[in-house]
Amino acid sequence: MIVEPPVSDNASSLSEGVRSDIEQILATIVRTSIDKEAAGELTEQDIEEKIVVSVQQFFGNNATPNDQATPVIPWWIWVVGGILVIVIVLLVVTLLFAKKRKENEEELELMELQQRELFVDDINEEKETESTVRRKQLEKMAKEKPEELCEIIKKLDN
């Protein structure tokens, strides 16, 4: 087994006491893991000969346990988020304009309906009879020549 020393710049910084403790732990693991019938009679010396503890610095593992990597958000997440925000804003604006346009259309329809209800047939379109023609002539004469109309009325009274 290879063990990295606690101080990375000194390969011999692992004391002999720690090394012997590691060897004892490994010997216990080997003894309990091996089936006695399959291995036969292994003595303590045979097991200790098979266990080797070496101290060596591991290269490529420079990370310290206290270093915490800061999470970095990829650029494409920002792009997707921006696109989603733009789409949401466009939808809201479209819905507002559609609502306003619908209200305007309803208002125009209401105004047209009110104008239809207020439409009155023209008086001039009535059928002209002899009496309406005489009445119109008298009204015209009253407006244009009131003195003559008064003379005609006086002659009729006599």
Side-chain angles (χ1 to χ4, degrees):
M1 173 182 214
I2 299 175
V3 179
E4 186 173 16
V7 180
S8 60
D9 35 332
N10 188 359
S12 64
S13 66
L14 193 62
S15 66
E16 281 301 317
V18 174
R19 181 181 267 184
S20 66
D21 289 341
I22 292 173
E23 287 176 357
Q24 285 179 353
I25 292 170
L26 288 174
T28 305
I29 292 172
V30 169
R31 255 186 255 112
T32 56
S33 300
I34 296 177
D35 185 22
K36 291 189 180 192
E37 292 178 13
E41 291 282 331
L42 281 178
T43 62
E44 290 290 325
Q45 193 173 12
D46 290 339
I47 293 175
E48 288 178 12
E49 286 178 6
K50 304 224 182 259
I51 297 173
V52 176
V53 175
S54 174
V55 178
Q56 178 179 336
Q57 181 180 0
F58 296 137
F59 295 104
N61 187 5
N62 295 333
T64 59
N66 292 335
D67 285 348
Q68 293 183 1
T70 56
V72 177
I73 300 174
W75 65 270
W76 59 271
I77 290 180
W78 288 104
V79 171
V80 170
I83 291 172
L84 286 176
V85 167
I86 291 171
V87 167
I88 290 171
V89 167
L90 288 176
L91 284 175
V92 168
V93 168
T94 304
L95 289 175
L96 290 176
F97 279 125
K99 182 179 178 182
K100 189 169 186 172
R101 183 179 44 204
K102 186 177 179 182
E103 288 174 358
N104 287 342
E105 288 175 359
E106 289 175 357
E107 188 176 314
L108 286 175
E109 289 176 8
L110 182 63
M111 288 174 59
E112 288 175 3
L113 181 63
Q114 288 174 349
Q115 287 177 352
R116 285 186 211 137
E117 289 175 357
L118 293 177
F119 181 73
V120 178
D121 290 334
D122 191 12
I123 297 176
N124 295 332
E125 292 179 7
E126 64 185 34
K127 294 181 182 177
E128 289 195 19
T129 61
E130 190 176 325
S131 63
T132 57
V133 171
R134 285 184 194 159
R135 182 178 48 86
K136 285 182 183 179
Q137 286 175 348
L138 289 173
E139 288 175 357
K140 184 177 179 184
M141 187 177 259
K143 286 180 186 177
E144 294 174 358
K145 303 175 187 174
E147 294 89 25
E148 288 181 23
L149 181 64
C150 286
E151 288 178 19
I152 293 174
I153 292 176
K154 285 180 186 176
K155 287 182 183 178
L156 290 175
D157 281 337
N158 291 340

